[in-house]
Amino acid sequence: MNTDNGKESFSLELNINQMLRDARRAEKAFQSIGNKAVSEGERIDKTFRTIGAGIAGYFTAGMIKDFGKAIIDARGEIESFQISFETLIGNKDKAIAFFSELKKFAVETPLLLNDLSKGAQLLLGFGVSLDKVMPTLKQIGDISMGNAERFNSLALAFAQMSATGRLMGQELLQMVNAGFNPLKTMSETTGKSMETLKDEMSKGAISADMVAKAFEDATAKGGKFNGMLEKQSKGIKGSISNLEGAIQDALNDMGEKGQGIDYRGISLATTAVQNYEKLGNVL
C-alpha cells in the first residue's frame, strides 16, 4: 500500500507473467483429462488476463479473492431465496415481481434482504396470502423500528398466529417481548379494557384478522409506529444498512451476469479433483 499526499492507493500484487505461465501449465495438464477441460482452462486464462487489465492498481491479490468470494456468496444467497419464492408462490413471474419489490424495500430501509426474505418465507409458509405479505412486512418493519431481532420475532409470532387463525398466549408473549402488545392497540381503538380482551383471547375469540388490524392501526397515519422505518433510515445506522443493501444488490447483479463462468469454473474444479492423481503427475 502506497501513500501519496495523504491518499491511500493500492497496487496490484499479482505477477501477471507468472500467472499466465501457471495457467498454461494447467492447460497442458488438463489436455489428458479431455478437450472440454482444456477449453475451460483457456476461458479461465482469458478471464485472469481480463481481470488483471481491468483492476490493476486498485486491488491486492487477497482483495481480489475476497471480492470474488463476496460476489459468489451474495449471488448464492439471493438465488436460494429466488428458488424458495418460486416454490412457495407457485408462479415464476409473480415470484420475480415479488422478490424485486422485496429487494427494493431492503435497499430503501434499515432492514436487510436476508431478514426480509426469511420473514416473507415464514408468512408464505404459514399461509398468509401473497397480496398481504409485503404490507405485513412493512408493518412489522415499522413496529420493530428496523431492529432485526425484533423484526424476526414479530414475523415468527405473526406467522404462527396466522396459521392457527387466532391469538394465543405464546404468540402474544413473543410480540410483547419484541416491543408490541396488539391487545393494547385494540383496547385503544375499540374502548375495551385489557382485562376484557385477555379474557376473550383465553376463549379463542381474538382472531388473526383482529390482530392484523391492530398491526395496521399501529402503523397507519396517527399510529404510534407510523413511518418508523423511514425515520430510522435517515439515521447513521439506517444509512449504513441502506448502503449494505445496495452493495449486496450490486454484488448479486455481478454474480448473475457471470454465473455461467462460475458454473464452468466449478465444473472444471470438479474435473480436476476427480482426476487429481493424473493432474499431480503432470504438474
Side-chain angles (χ1 to χ4, degrees):
M1 181 169 63
N2 301 321
T3 303
D4 181 19
N5 297 326
K7 296 182 178 180
E8 295 180 346
S9 63
F10 296 90
S11 60
L12 183 65
E13 297 176 359
L14 289 175
N15 187 319
I16 301 299
N17 291 329
Q18 183 62 45
M19 181 186 296
L20 294 176
R21 283 196 294 271
D22 291 341
R24 292 188 186 103
R25 289 176 65 205
E27 284 185 39
K28 291 178 181 179
F30 284 122
Q31 284 175 358
S32 62
I33 299 173
N35 291 333
K36 183 177 179 180
V38 173
S39 176
E40 295 300 337
E42 290 172 351
R43 291 185 217 270
I44 290 176
D45 181 282
K46 182 179 179 181
T47 299
F48 276 135
R49 284 188 275 110
T50 301
I51 290 173
I55 62 177
Y58 293 94
F59 294 104
T60 66
M63 292 170 68
I64 293 172
K65 179 180 178 181
D66 291 342
F67 184 65
K69 184 177 184 301
I71 291 176
I72 292 172
D73 287 347
R75 178 56 193 152
E77 182 177 49
I78 289 179
E79 185 179 42
S80 177
F81 286 135
Q82 289 173 323
I83 293 171
S84 72
F85 287 129
E86 285 184 24
T87 302
L88 289 167
I89 294 171
N91 180 293
K92 186 174 181 179
D93 291 337
K94 288 183 179 180
I96 291 173
F98 172 76
F99 194 60
S100 176
E101 185 178 2
L102 201 66
K103 287 196 297 180
K104 184 175 183 292
F105 186 59
V107 172
E108 295 174 348
T109 69
L111 293 168
L112 295 178
L113 181 61
N114 183 284
D115 294 313
L116 286 168
S117 295
K118 289 179 180 178
Q121 287 174 331
L122 276 173
L123 296 176
L124 289 167
F126 277 89
V128 176
S129 61
L130 178 61
D131 62 311
K132 293 182 179 179
V133 172
M134 277 307 303
T136 300
L137 288 176
K138 291 176 181 179
Q139 291 162 8
I140 293 174
D142 276 336
I143 291 172
S144 71
M145 295 183 284
N147 179 280
E149 184 177 353
R150 290 199 293 268
F151 176 86
N152 293 330
S153 294
L154 287 169
L156 177 59
F158 192 98
Q160 291 172 332
M161 176 206 65
S162 299
T164 60
R166 62 182 185 275
L167 181 65
M168 301 180 71
Q170 181 179 342
E171 285 74 38
L172 176 63
L173 182 60
Q174 285 178 263
M175 292 179 185
V176 170
N177 287 339
F180 179 62
N181 188 337
L183 296 184
K184 184 177 180 181
T185 300
M186 292 169 64
S187 176
E188 294 170 351
T189 56
T190 64
K192 293 182 179 180
S193 68
M194 290 290 290
E195 289 73 21
T196 298
L197 290 170
K198 287 179 181 179
D199 183 59
E200 290 180 356
M201 183 186 73
S202 67
K203 296 176 181 177
I206 304 296
S207 69
D209 288 339
M210 293 169 66
V211 177
K213 183 64 167 57
F215 272 72
E216 182 181 344
D217 290 338
T219 55
K221 187 175 182 180
K224 181 179 180 180
F225 299 97
N226 177 251
M228 286 303 301
L229 278 180
E230 182 180 356
K231 295 172 185 175
Q232 290 288 339
S233 67
K234 296 177 181 178
I236 183 64
K237 287 186 178 181
S239 297
I240 291 173
S241 179
N242 292 347
L243 176 60
E244 290 175 348
I247 290 173
Q248 185 183 40
D249 204 26
L251 290 173
N252 172 65
D253 287 343
M254 293 179 201
E256 190 171 15
K257 290 175 182 176
Q259 192 160 322
I261 295 174
D262 290 340
Y263 286 155
R264 290 193 294 270
I266 292 170
S267 176
L268 176 60
T270 302
T271 303
V273 171
Q274 291 171 339
N275 296 272
Y276 70 94
E277 289 182 345
K278 190 179 296 184
L279 180 62
N281 290 334
V282 176
L283 293 177

